[in-house]
Amino acid sequence: MRLFQNSALYPSYLPRLNQLAAGTQSFAERRRVFLDDRFGASHFLQPVLDGSPEAFFTNGDDEVLQRRWAREQGMSGEPTLEAILLAQIEHHATEVFYNLDPVRYPSAFVAKLPGCVKKALCWRAAPSGNADFTAYRAVLGNAPSILDIWRRNGCRVETFFPAHDPVMEEYGHGERPIDVAFAGGYSRHHRVRAKTLEQVAQLADRRNIVLCLDASRLTRLAESTIGRLLPLRQHRRPDAIAAIARPPVFGRALYELIGSSKIVFNGAIDMAGTNRGNMRCFETMGCGALLVSDAGSYPAGMQEGVTIKTYDTPEQAVEVISRSLRDWARSAEIAAHGRARIREIYSKDVQWKQFGDLVGRV
């Protein structure tokens, strides 16, 4: 299978990538730096991470990366990022196109794929307004409620999971000086999470609490000098959170944070319904911290009291965290069991086999 996997960058991750890749000159060098940093690695298929000659990977929205490829291949003028991505697919003679950024490259893009592409699939784990993905053979995801949205929109959907990144095994084998960590978004899509974060932040006077928040543009505006003069109070973070908030972390820096933490707190986005199992669950358990997350329907291997701890309300989250820290010996056993289960159930080998099976039936 000649596989082409396209991904994308968070805007807040780009400064880190640019710093890490500052000494690079070529497309291959910048891509290697990105892959080595492991940002999003749970989604990258085994041949990509192995460097297989039959697999090609790029971030189609990374203008620096893509324009390097265009120059190296002699593309004239200033081609669009879409034109570069199409040229890469044709140059690679791709048979299966797997797109992690379908909002940027929806059905209209699929219609332009070269004839060598036999099947196009995409991953989408969030609602996306009026985006059209019907031209893809299937929309993949691991949240049934989100997949139901795409099914109602006329798409074929298939269940597919992130995988345990083997590099996670390098982290979390020493001391864990951080009592509770959180890393993730803070926006209007996280209202329930925000309430719980405020409760957890109040533990900071007696526990080592680290909150690495990727605040939305509206939140950043609301907290700016100008924003404080505008009617944006509801978008500002509560004082308890703002007092200890740190910038977001990604890639290996995120693995290091989790590996240094006893507990990682998690909360689903509001649109997820009762479905659980976002990326932070896989990363937390993979790096050996105790996952404390909101109650709901979890994938195999994520079981309350056996491999994770759950809470029902923001107030109960604090109780669960406090009890877990008081009986850390037992909590550490749960975390270790969770790490082993994630490694067993969601290995890269398993993920790649499931992807191959999926391609064969769509």
Side-chain angles (χ1 to χ4, degrees):
M1 180 194 309
R2 293 193 64 79
L3 169 73
F4 190 116
Q5 187 164 13
N6 177 61
S7 190
L9 305 175
Y10 286 178
S12 45
Y13 173 72
L14 188 56
R16 173 177 170 83
L17 175 59
N18 286 338
Q19 183 179 31
L20 292 172
T24 66
Q25 298 296 323
S26 69
F27 170 85
E29 288 173 329
R30 183 176 174 91
R31 182 177 62 179
R32 184 174 62 251
V33 168
F34 170 78
L35 289 173
D36 286 348
D37 196 39
R38 314 308 284 189
F39 176 78
S42 292
H43 286 298
F44 302 157
L45 299 174
Q46 187 71 62
V48 167
L49 296 178
D50 286 347
S52 167
E54 292 201 336
F56 189 95
F57 175 90
T58 197
N59 288 308
D61 66 339
D62 184 346
E63 188 159 358
V64 173
L65 180 73
Q66 293 297 80
R67 296 209 176 281
R68 284 184 182 179
W69 187 91
R71 287 195 301 271
E72 291 166 8
Q73 298 300 318
M75 294 183 72
S76 59
E78 288 290 321
T80 64
L81 293 181
E82 179 182 283
I84 296 172
L85 186 58
L86 287 168
Q88 288 171 325
I89 294 168
E90 185 169 17
H91 183 268
H92 174 252
T94 299
E95 295 172 325
V96 175
F97 177 61
Y98 180 35
N99 187 16
L100 304 181
D101 190 18
V103 174
R104 188 182 306 274
Y105 298 109
S107 288
F109 177 81
V110 176
K112 301 175 185 178
L113 290 172
C116 58
V117 179
K118 302 300 186 287
K119 297 180 180 181
L121 304 95
C122 68
W123 165 278
R124 191 62 183 164
S128 307
N130 295 321
D132 177 13
F133 304 152
T134 53
Y136 285 94
R137 286 290 186 95
V139 178
L140 313 186
N142 67 318
S145 60
I146 303 298
L147 290 178
D148 282 344
I149 293 174
W150 299 121
R151 185 183 290 107
R152 291 195 297 270
N153 287 347
C155 301
R156 175 170 178 166
V157 301
E158 294 285 344
T159 300
F160 192 61
F161 288 91
H164 174 264
D165 178 8
V167 170
M168 292 175 180
E169 291 301 311
E170 300 174 14
Y171 297 86
H173 299 289
E175 293 297 318
R176 294 180 178 267
I178 299 170
D179 290 314
V180 184
F182 173 85
Y186 189 98
S187 73
R188 66 184 184 280
H189 301 301
H190 305 96
R191 288 171 296 182
V192 177
R193 177 192 291 179
K195 292 178 182 177
T196 312
L197 272 177
E198 185 174 9
Q199 294 289 323
V200 174
Q202 292 173 9
L203 293 172
D205 59 346
R206 55 191 182 279
R207 293 290 187 178
N208 185 5
I209 311 294
V210 174
L211 307 182
C212 296
L213 303 180
D214 192 4
S216 68
R217 285 179 294 178
L218 191 55
T219 295
R220 292 196 298 271
L221 172 61
E223 294 181 351
S224 68
T225 302
I226 294 176
R228 292 188 179 278
L229 301 176
L230 301 174
L232 298 173
R233 183 178 181 85
Q234 71 272 26
H235 297 290
R236 294 178 201 136
R237 294 173 293 193
D239 291 343
I241 295 176
I244 62 173
R246 301 186 187 182
V249 291
F250 303 101
R252 286 181 179 267
L254 174 61
Y255 288 1
E256 180 62 36
L257 172 68
I258 298 173
S260 300
S261 303
K262 295 181 179 70
I263 292 172
V264 171
F265 158 77
N266 178 64
I269 61 172
D270 296 340
M271 295 90 79
T274 60
N275 297 140
R276 301 292 181 261
N278 60 11
M279 277 296 299
R280 194 66 70 245
C281 297
F282 289 88
E283 291 160 342
T284 297
M285 298 175 73
C287 290
L290 175 65
L291 174 66
V292 174
S293 191
D294 42 352
S297 178
Y298 280 88
M302 301 180 188
Q303 185 178 355
E304 155 61 25
V306 179
T307 59
I308 67 173
K309 293 284 191 73
T310 62
Y311 59 88
D312 291 307
T313 66
E315 294 76 17
Q316 191 184 33
V318 175
E319 296 173 11
V320 171
I321 288 171
S322 297
R323 286 199 306 269
S324 299
L325 289 172
R326 284 196 298 270
D327 187 9
W328 179 243
R330 171 58 183 153
S331 299
E333 291 177 357
I334 293 174
H337 186 39
R339 186 174 204 170
R341 291 291 287 155
I342 288 295
R343 186 169 54 231
E344 174 189 359
I345 297 173
Y346 302 101
S347 72
K348 281 293 175 187
D349 288 343
V350 169
Q351 183 189 47
W352 177 234
K353 183 182 183 305
Q354 290 176 343
F355 185 82
D357 293 344
L358 192 155
V359 168
R361 67 174 181 266
V362 298

